[in-house]
Amino acid sequence: MPSQTGPSQGGPSRTRPTLSRAEVAHLARLARITLTDAELDRLVPQLDVILAAVARVGEVAAADIPPTSHALPLTNVLRPDVVRPSLPAAAALGGAPAVEDGRFRVPRILDDAEAADG
Amino acid sequence: MTDSYEDVLTRFEPVIGLETHVELATASKLFCGCATAFGAEPNTQVCPTCLGLPGSLPVTNRAAIEYTMRIGLALHCTVASWCRFARKNYFYPDMPKDFQISQYDEPLCIEGYLDVEVGSDEGARTVRVPIERVHLEEDTGKSLHVGGATGRIAGATHSLVDYNRAGIPLVEIVTKPVEGAGAEVAKAYVTELRDLLRGLGVSDVRMEQGSLRCDVNVSLRRPGEPYGTRTETKNLNSLRSVERSVRFEVERQAALLEAGVRIVQETRHFEESSGSTASGRSKEEAQDYRYFPEPDLVPLAPAPDWVAEIRSSLPEPPSAARRRLAAEHGFSGLDMAQMGGAGVLDLVAATVAAGAPAAEARSWWLSYLAQQANERGTDPAELPITPAQLAEVIGLVGAGTLTNKLARSVVDGVLAGEGEPAEVIAGRGLAVVSDDGALGAAVDAAIAGAPDVAEKVRAGKVAAAGALVGAVMKATRGQADAARVRELVMAKLSPAE
């Protein structure tokens, strides 16, 4: 499964991760972005450079520096369980391209191939 | 040719795994202040945060974290000293943000168990169901699929989405594989879990409203072999469905295996009407959610004293409550077996815990409510009345506010969705007239209307008072408490002191 060998799992942090053309195409598909062959030719090396730049951060991180996912040195930012006013339905639906029966109307979810399986 | 469930069990060992989703009964959503009440008009409990509008940011609800820890601790889990929410990325209109905030490799609670009792001809045996994790996530919106057959997504021309449910805190409880466990264990586990959650006060656990729903994994193996390929039946929303779907999957898989056909790992849906499961949408591409730590939320690090405080506030577990119930209220072995068989033991226990006398609680659940459940083709626990509501009604009978007959009418009203007992009483005009002022006036009128009778009572002919009591009952259209009326009549007509 290509997805399990994504950029974040490229082995030890000192190893420079690389991104294959197939992985970029896969990520584009997941993000619903259509990429032409020409765009892949251009973007694969560019993303590789970006990853290499990010990987340099790993080089300065010594064993005594724990990995972090947040810039703020905070934990447990919580609010009390108190109800606050919601938007009026008209406002909530106001920005929707289509509305029906007070609900957001969205296009068909399954395409024909998927629907045939259902 | 399909062998019966019992036949299959002589040749195969089923292995089950359950994922249970529980909507928490917090007042507000997990990451915003929108209300969580069930049944509101569509898209009236939404705000920029749960609609995923640009610039909005989530802030975690403290009660949801506490409830999740309560559940984890009650399931003998360890609470993580540090964990994070994760962003689960996917495109599907039930989440307007295009991602769901969930927990991935750092669940809040890990490694616990739940002991469940399974009845059999040889008596009850206890099965320990190992719990892998308990994590917290936000629920998704609700989609209506339009234009296809019977609301199915396949063949629909478009869908309509209501985001009231999006962002309601949802706890997922995942078991490890339970070996040698079939339909009875699956049902017993969900039943025990539901009773435990109800006792914890963290969810209203209404399966028919979707606040408790189950996915059940089933596989078969021959004794001594490694696990077989499993299927996952999604979104089971009643105890019966849990049991029936497992029975069906065991029989279906056994028939395939006997015929030398491989089991396909897939998602299946349970069809309530036929009692069978059907293959769901098969996905060519494996799901790839690209989880990463949620950047908009800082980590959770429950301090040991916070965890200890929650642990010390846990109520008695239902299994212990059952033992105590029998001992304290003198329920006989037969009583316990009757209540257990009718699936009302924990309801009786919860009703007693909510303040009702044991005999009344037992009688209500075993007779009137069991009958109502039977008429509706559902389990008593799935009736839309809570033990607390019933205890309230029983309390009102005890206080003389309701007669038994009126109490049944109040219960009918609650079952019919007319609201809390007090609302039903007000709505249906059911309260026994016990207000002494109003009753006093009726008593005075009755005495004035029958001076000869009143005179007899004054003279000591107590039996004559019955005519006056009857007149008052008539005047109050039967909604007065006769005993109280008699007291008032006697007080008014007592020989002058």
Side-chain angles (χ1 to χ4, degrees):
Chain A
M1 194 160 44
S3 56
Q4 295 306 306
T5 56
S8 61
Q9 301 184 11
S13 62
R14 297 295 161 85
T15 316
R16 183 174 164 281
T18 57
L19 207 50
S20 73
R21 187 184 175 90
E23 283 168 342
V24 176
H26 177 68
L27 287 171
R29 206 159 47 243
L30 288 172
R32 301 290 194 275
I33 299 172
T34 309
L35 292 183
T36 63
D37 279 350
E39 284 168 325
L40 278 174
D41 288 342
R42 187 161 49 86
L43 289 173
V44 171
Q46 281 188 10
L47 280 169
D48 223 31
V49 170
I50 292 170
L51 278 187
V54 174
R56 287 192 63 195
V57 177
E59 288 167 22
V60 291
D64 61 333
I65 300 178
T68 184
S69 55
H70 295 82
L72 302 171
L74 294 174
T75 56
N76 301 337
V77 176
L78 303 170
R79 64 176 174 85
D81 181 25
V82 175
V83 173
R84 294 173 59 179
S86 296
L87 290 175
L93 295 161
V99 171
E100 187 177 320
D101 289 342
R103 296 173 172 88
F104 291 84
R105 182 186 163 132
V106 299
R108 183 166 60 163
I109 293 167
L110 298 186
D111 61 27
D112 289 335
E114 286 175 300
D117 292 335
Chain B
M1 209 71 55
T2 306
D3 286 330
S4 79
Y5 179 74
E6 285 71 21
D7 287 341
V8 171
L9 294 191
T10 62
R11 295 191 303 283
F12 291 98
E13 183 194 46
V15 179
I16 61 170
L18 294 102
E19 290 170 28
T20 310
H21 284 97
V22 188
E23 263 182 16
L24 297 183
T26 53
S28 65
K29 290 187 179 180
L30 180 50
F31 298 120
C32 63
C34 287
T36 58
F38 181 81
E41 288 296 306
N43 295 303
T44 54
Q45 294 173 354
V46 293
C47 73
T49 300
C50 57
L51 287 176
L53 300 186
S56 61
L57 283 171
V59 187
T60 309
N61 184 338
R62 169 182 287 268
I65 301 296
E66 287 187 347
Y67 286 9
T68 308
M69 291 197 278
R70 277 174 83 79
I71 295 170
L73 291 170
L75 291 170
H76 311 96
C77 289
T78 306
V79 173
S81 56
W82 190 90
C83 68
R84 291 174 296 190
F85 283 102
R87 192 175 281 196
K88 177 181 180 179
N89 298 279
Y90 65 98
F91 290 104
Y92 197 84
D94 65 0
M95 277 318 270
K97 298 194 291 277
D98 285 340
F99 62 84
Q100 179 191 29
I101 302 178
S102 180
Q103 291 195 287
Y104 181 47
D105 49 356
E106 298 170 6
L108 184 51
C109 309
I110 51 166
E111 299 283 339
Y113 64 85
L114 181 63
D115 286 335
V116 304
E117 275 184 20
V118 186
S120 72
D121 296 341
E122 297 93 57
R125 69 189 165 103
T126 300
V127 176
R128 176 156 293 185
V129 176
I131 305 291
E132 182 171 298
R133 58 187 282 157
V134 176
H135 82 238
L136 180 58
E137 63 190 26
E138 54 181 342
D139 207 348
T140 58
K142 232 179 200 160
S143 311
L144 278 177
H145 305 299
V146 184
T150 63
R152 295 289 302 273
I153 189 170
T157 54
H158 62 279
S159 299
L160 303 178
V161 193
D162 169 14
Y163 290 119
N164 282 351
R165 201 180 66 182
I168 291 183
L170 192 66
V171 161
E172 182 172 330
I173 301 162
V174 183
T175 72
K176 295 180 180 177
V178 195
E179 299 176 1
E184 316 73 29
V185 175
K187 184 184 181 190
Y189 166 76
V190 179
T191 307
E192 186 71 23
L193 183 61
R194 183 198 59 193
D195 294 339
L196 178 84
L197 294 167
R198 182 191 290 124
L200 291 172
V202 296
S203 170
D204 60 9
V205 291
R206 291 278 173 84
M207 292 190 85
E208 80 287 357
Q209 291 182 359
S211 60
L212 179 74
R213 39 192 204 266
C214 252
D215 304 338
V216 187
N217 290 278
V218 178
S219 67
L220 295 184
R221 63 173 174 182
R222 296 190 195 268
E225 287 184 356
Y227 293 159
T229 305
R230 63 189 162 84
T231 61
E232 181 178 26
T233 307
K234 288 272 198 191
N235 276 326
L236 296 163
N237 61 1
S238 75
L239 294 170
R240 274 179 198 211
S241 301
V242 169
E243 186 177 25
R244 290 169 77 205
S245 70
V246 175
R247 288 181 79 95
F248 181 86
E249 266 307 287
V250 165
E251 291 175 2
R252 185 188 71 88
Q253 291 185 16
L256 290 174
L257 291 170
E258 299 277 20
V261 181
R262 276 182 46 200
I263 306 295
V264 180
Q265 182 170 344
E266 63 182 354
T267 297
R268 299 182 68 85
H269 300 290
F270 182 65
E271 316 266 357
E272 197 77 49
S273 51
S274 60
S276 62
T277 67
S279 178
R281 207 146 52 89
S282 66
K283 281 215 172 62
E284 281 301 305
E285 214 163 344
Q287 291 285 17
D288 184 350
Y289 293 121
R290 289 151 296 143
Y291 285 97
F292 60 83
E294 172 54 56
D296 289 342
L297 294 166
V298 298
L300 286 170
D305 54 346
W306 191 17
V307 178
E309 185 190 319
I310 291 169
R311 190 191 301 275
S312 69
S313 75
L314 291 179
E316 182 185 36
S319 52
R322 281 195 296 269
R323 285 191 293 275
R324 196 173 42 77
L325 189 73
E328 266 182 25
H329 303 295
F331 286 136
S332 66
L334 179 64
D335 287 340
M336 294 300 285
Q338 272 183 343
M339 289 187 282
V344 301
L345 241 180
D346 293 302
L347 294 164
V348 172
T351 308
V352 173
E360 256 89 330
R362 171 180 164 278
S363 147
W364 272 95
W365 284 111
L366 264 187
S367 56
Y368 193 67
L369 289 168
Q371 181 192 331
Q372 300 302 311
N374 198 31
E375 281 171 17
R376 292 162 179 240
T378 177
D379 281 318
E382 283 161 30
L383 286 172
I385 184 169
T386 63
Q389 287 169 329
L390 178 63
E392 186 181 341
V393 173
I394 293 173
L396 291 172
V397 176
T401 307
L402 292 176
T403 60
N404 278 319
K405 187 165 154 251
L406 292 179
R408 277 195 291 277
S409 178
V410 175
V411 166
D412 289 343
V414 175
L415 292 175
E418 292 167 29
E420 293 294 318
E423 293 171 279
V424 177
I425 290 167
R428 295 191 173 194
L430 292 178
V432 167
V433 180
S434 61
D435 162 36
D436 281 357
L439 274 186
V443 169
D444 287 342
I447 291 171
D452 49 331
V453 178
E455 206 42 56
K456 284 182 189 168
V457 179
R458 276 205 192 89
K461 293 199 169 184
V462 177
L468 296 172
V469 173
V472 173
M473 294 304 287
K474 193 174 171 193
T476 56
R477 298 192 314 279
Q479 294 191 10
D481 175 10
R484 181 67 193 142
V485 172
R486 175 170 290 274
E487 279 173 27
L488 287 176
V489 168
M490 296 315 291
K492 298 244 183 208
L493 298 180
S494 62
E497 285 157 25

